[in-house]
């Protein structure tokens, strides 16, 4: 018996949408022919609809009863079909089966559309790889790479699989995987992940994780794990559906005994099927997940959106979340009488022109952005790993880097008080010497995201309180918080401090959302009512801890996500209220004999279609901008 049940289940699961569409098409033709009085077969043509659409429903009901004694909507529908056929109401039976399968197809299309939107965000897997074998380089499909293969990656190429660098030095843009805006220096022995981009330098690597084990494929599995059935409110709907089945059977039996008209009992079974009630929640959740996907969010389970709708506090990490993680020059200070601050800035930027280091590039970009003038060509450029650079600019020799660089070159200096101030504010300080004399410094600071201020304001409009939890110094944290109008700030936070802060809010009875991008945020992401990881899948630990991943780092979409979660819950509540009201109205009409099985099937299943259509509207729902902002635009 178990083997038979498993075999039938496999048959029902094969074919997908195309099979369902074909069955519905043939059944629809049979219904049209029946309405037109066309009967080309020696049997009633509605048997085509009954067998094609009704038999799968009956088989599902039988399997559910045998395997888990699961009394759900398909049990009631099966009884309605069998009862309709037993009294010769073939058209009613075929119509019920057809419309029930039509409702199931609409639900499947809604879910499919939502998942298709999710899949578009994870088409990041490189298609080819440069395999080194026998002293030759050959280009092969990335899926053919095996563990242990040696690959070569050129500048600008995406890394095809996870692996370890065995030759060469480079810098990797890991934004798609970790959310780090600054490229990360990599050398022999360092790990690299598939989907990340080689910024400069040719390197060779040995493949360590390929195929389904690679980072990008793990991201796809994360997306595919989205399951609307895990939301708590779905369980409530299922429990109600079970009770409704029992009530429907009792009502049908009593009506038959009192009136003596079995057709009324059959109509009750038809109209009392709780399909709209069961469809109300999962369709809304999956449509909301699809909407969130279009705005850059990967939602692992519908329960996360349900919890997000109750959020009262949003806790932010600073670096990479409210800021870009890309430094800009905030000050250039000369301490020498022989060179002005602007001249020092120009000399350092000119010397850094040939540098591939992110800080060097940041200095050059900042200078050109602020001054727009041409830099002086540099010669005799030398990069000193872990220290800085040395170059000749015009007739001057320039050293730029950390304090160790100056000390190693015999240059003594006393740290300026202003440089101490910059360091206390969380800035990165680059010291400079010109012609063997300490001449000043450049201070760089992280860049605040342009959308952060508007995002924080929009959260306040939704009744959500923003909180800053950061490991930065108090002064740096306060500076960022004041620019964003965040009132609650906790600085110098270790991972356990962030965790403790989250627990404190929860002890006060408030639902709290944590947004972070690093491993140090993982404990807080796990503990929070809802955890959102920045930068796609981020680090393994951060992603495993988070409920939602923000792929493109667009934090401006966060208010939309929270507003969407609230809208989703309103839609679910309206769907459930509507479906229950329609069911009870239809059963009253069925008991009094106003509805027959055919009309009852139309009325009931029209409710299911309306519920699915209502949920599908969430796919394109968009949070409205505040009127004040519109008037300013």
């Amino acid at each position: 018996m178990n083997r038979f049940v498993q075999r039938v289940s496999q048959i029902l699961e094969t074919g997908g949408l195309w099979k369902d569409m074909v069955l519905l098409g043939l059944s629809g033709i049979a219904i049209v022919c029946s309405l037109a009085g066309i009967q080309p077969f020696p049997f009633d043509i509605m048997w085509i609809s009954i067998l094609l659409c009704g038999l799968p429903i009956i088989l599902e009901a039988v399997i559910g009863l045998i395997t888990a004694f699961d009394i759900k909507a398909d049990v009631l529908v099966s009884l309605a079909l069998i009862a309709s056929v037993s009294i010769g109401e073939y058209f009613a039976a075929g119509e019920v089966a057809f419309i029930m399968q039509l409702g199931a197809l609409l639900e499947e299309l809604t879910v499919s559309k939502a998942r298709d939107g999710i899949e578009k965000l994870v088409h990041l897997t490189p298609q080819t790889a440069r395999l080194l074998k026998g002293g030759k380089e050959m280009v092969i499909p990335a899926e053919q790479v095996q563990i242990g293969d040696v690959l070569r990656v050129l500048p600008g190429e995406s890394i095809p699989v996870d692996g370890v660098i065995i030759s060469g030095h480079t810098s990797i843009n890991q934004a798609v995987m970790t959310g780090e805006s600054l490229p990360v220096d990599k050398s022999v022995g360092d790990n690299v992940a598939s989907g990340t981009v080689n910024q400069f330098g040719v390197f060779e690597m040995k493949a360590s994780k390929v195929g389904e084990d690679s980072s990008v494929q793990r991201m796809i599995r994360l997306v595919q794990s989205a399951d609307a059935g895990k939301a708590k409110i779905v369980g409530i709907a299922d429990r109600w559906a079970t009770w409704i089945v029992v009530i429907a059977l009792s009502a049908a039996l009593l009506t038959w005994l009192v009136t003596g008209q079995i057709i009324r009992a059959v109509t009750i079974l038809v109209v009392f099927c709780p399909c709209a009630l069961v469809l109300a929640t999962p369709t809304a959740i999956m449509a909301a997940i699809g909407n969130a996907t279009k705005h850059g969010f990967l939602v692992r389970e519908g329960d996360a959106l349900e919890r997000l709708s109750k959020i009262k506090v949003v806790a932010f990490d600073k670096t990479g979340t409210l800021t870009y993680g890309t430094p800009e020059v905030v000050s250039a200070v000369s301490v020498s009488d022989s060179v002005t601050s602007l001249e020092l800035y120009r000399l350092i930027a000119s010397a850094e022109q040939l540098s591939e280091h992110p800080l060097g590039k940041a200095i050059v970009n900042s200078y050109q952005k602020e001054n727009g003038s041409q830099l002086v060509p540099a010669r005799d450029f030398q990069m000193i790993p872990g220290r800085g650079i040395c170059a000749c600019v015009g007739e001057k020799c320039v050293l730029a880097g950390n304090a160790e660089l100056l000390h190693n070159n015999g240059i003594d200096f006393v740290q300026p008080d202003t440089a101490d101030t910059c360091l206390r504010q969380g800035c990165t300080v680059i010291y400079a010497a010109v012609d063997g004399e300490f001449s000043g410094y450049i201070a760089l600071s992280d860049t605040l995201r342009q959308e952060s201020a508007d995002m924080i304001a929009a959260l306040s409009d939704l009744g959500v309180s923003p909180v800053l939890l950061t490991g930065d110094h108090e002064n740096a944290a306060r500076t960022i918080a004041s620019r964003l109008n965040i009132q609650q700030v906790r600085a110098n936070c270790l991972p356990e401090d962030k965790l403790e802060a989250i627990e404190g809010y929860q002890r006060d009875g408030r639902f709290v959302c944590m947004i972070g991008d690093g491993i140090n945020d993982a404990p807080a992401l796990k503990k929070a009512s809802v955890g959102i990881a920045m930068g796609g899948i981020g680090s393994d630990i951060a992603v495993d801890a988070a409920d939602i991943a923000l792929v493109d780092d667009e934090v401006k979409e966060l208010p939309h996500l929270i507003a969407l979660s609230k809208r989703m819950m309103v839609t679910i509540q309206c769907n459930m209220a509507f479906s229950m009201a329609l069911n009870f109205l239809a059963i009253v009409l069925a008991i009094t004999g106003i509805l027959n099985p055919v009309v009852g099937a139309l009325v009931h299943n029209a409710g299911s279609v309306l519920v699915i259509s209502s949920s599908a509207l969430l796919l394109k729902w968009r949070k409205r901008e505040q009127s004040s902002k519109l008037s300013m635009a």
Side-chain angles (χ1 to χ4, degrees), residues 334-341 343 396 437-440:
S334 172
V335 297
S336 173
D337 295 333
S338 60
V339 61
T340 66
S341 295
E343 290 172 340
K396 299 182 180 297
E437 178 188 357
F438 175 58
S439 300

Side-chain angles (χ1 to χ4, degrees), residues 95-164:
E95 184 191 40
V96 167
F98 173 78
I99 298 179
M100 291 301 300
Q101 292 289 20
L102 176 62
L105 178 63
L106 288 176
E107 179 192 10
E108 192 171 356
L109 286 172
T110 300
V111 173
S112 175
K113 186 172 183 179
R115 291 191 184 277
D116 285 344
I118 294 174
E119 295 295 341
K120 291 178 182 179
L121 292 177
V122 295
H123 289 166
L124 304 173
T125 307
Q127 300 301 309
T128 61
R130 299 178 184 272
L131 176 66
L132 299 179
K133 194 170 185 179
K136 297 182 179 180
E137 176 186 310
M138 61 187 75
V139 178
I140 64 171
E143 61 267 19
Q144 294 182 9
V145 176
Q146 303 294 321
I147 294 177
D149 282 350
V150 177
L151 309 176
R152 176 177 291 158
V153 183
L154 303 183
E157 291 184 343
S158 295
I159 297 173
V161 297
D162 293 9
V164 179

Side-chain angles (χ1 to χ4, degrees), residues 10 46 139 158 183 185 225 239 248 256 272 277 286 289 382 400 411 423 442 536 571 586:
Q10 292 174 356
M46 287 306 295
V139 178
S158 295
D185 294 334
S225 69
R239 287 195 296 272
W256 184 16
F272 218 153
L277 178 63
M286 293 309 301
I289 289 176
Q382 181 182 3
I411 300 173
L423 290 171
I442 282 181
T571 299

Side-chain angles (χ1 to χ4, degrees), residues 25-41 43-49 91:
L26 294 175
S27 300
I29 292 173
I31 291 176
V32 172
C33 291
S34 180
L35 289 172
I38 301 175
Q39 294 290 341
F41 305 112
F43 54 86
D44 195 307
I45 196 171
M46 287 306 295
W47 274 103
I48 295 177
S49 180
F91 185 85

Side-chain angles (χ1 to χ4, degrees), residues 350-351 376-381 390-398:
S350 298
V376 179
R379 65 181 189 279
D380 299 331
F381 175 84
C390 175
C392 292
V393 180
E395 300 300 323
K396 299 182 180 297
C397 179
V398 179

